[in-house]
Amino acid sequence: MAYIETNRPISAIFVDLVNQFTALVRKEGQLARAEISEKLGEIGIGLGLVVGGAVLLTPALVILLQAAVAGLAAAGLAVGWASLAVGGAALLIGLALLGLGVCRLKAGRLLPSKTIEQLQRDAALATQQLRTNHGIPERAV
């Protein structure tokens, strides 16, 4: 624990408090910027991979869906009904994947949660320190 000087004037204590608070806010701001930058980088990489995968999977999916329709038609189902069944299944799967993707891109996941938790701990510690006198003898009035 740091040495606490008991004979300091209130103005010096206040200046020290302001300086420490300013340094704390600066460090917390740096932490928030770093965390947001990290999260944006992760999202950028994720979006790039999704776009690349979509570009490559689109033609493959079309070919596979055509093969499924041809297979159902060869099994005796009318081409129209086979197309409807395969298209409906592809639609349901696509909607489910879209919903999952949107959930993962919500703004709440972009919040700098580590910084917010650290700020809450700092505020709790500051409140606790203001409530206790840290062994400093009270002065007679």
Side-chain angles (χ1 to χ4, degrees):
M1 177 181 256
Y3 172 73
I4 300 175
E5 185 179 335
T6 58
N7 295 328
R8 292 173 52 193
I10 290 179
S11 60
I13 293 172
F14 183 73
V15 168
D16 190 34
L17 174 69
V18 169
N19 288 338
Q20 289 181 7
F21 180 74
T22 303
L24 175 66
V25 169
R26 190 177 314 117
K27 292 291 184 186
E28 296 296 347
Q30 290 171 348
L31 176 62
R33 280 191 299 276
E35 191 174 355
I36 288 172
S37 175
E38 178 183 323
K39 289 192 181 268
L40 287 176
E42 290 175 8
I43 287 177
I45 290 171
L47 285 175
L49 292 172
V50 166
V51 168
V55 166
L56 293 175
L57 287 176
T58 301
L61 181 62
V62 168
I63 292 168
L64 289 173
L65 293 175
Q66 287 176 341
V69 169
L72 288 174
L77 193 59
V79 175
W81 289 111
S83 297
L84 184 63
V86 171
L91 177 70
L92 292 176
I93 293 170
L95 288 174
L97 292 175
L98 181 66
L100 287 172
V102 168
C103 285
R104 291 189 177 243
L105 292 177
K106 295 235 183 218
R109 294 179 57 96
L110 297 177
L111 288 176
S113 56
K114 294 175 189 171
T115 302
I116 291 171
E117 290 172 11
Q118 184 62 43
L119 285 172
Q120 290 171 343
R121 284 193 296 265
D122 291 344
L125 181 62
T127 303
Q128 179 186 4
Q129 288 181 351
L130 287 175
R131 290 185 181 156
T132 61
N133 61 9
H134 295 288
I136 298 173
E138 294 189 21
R139 297 182 185 182
V141 182

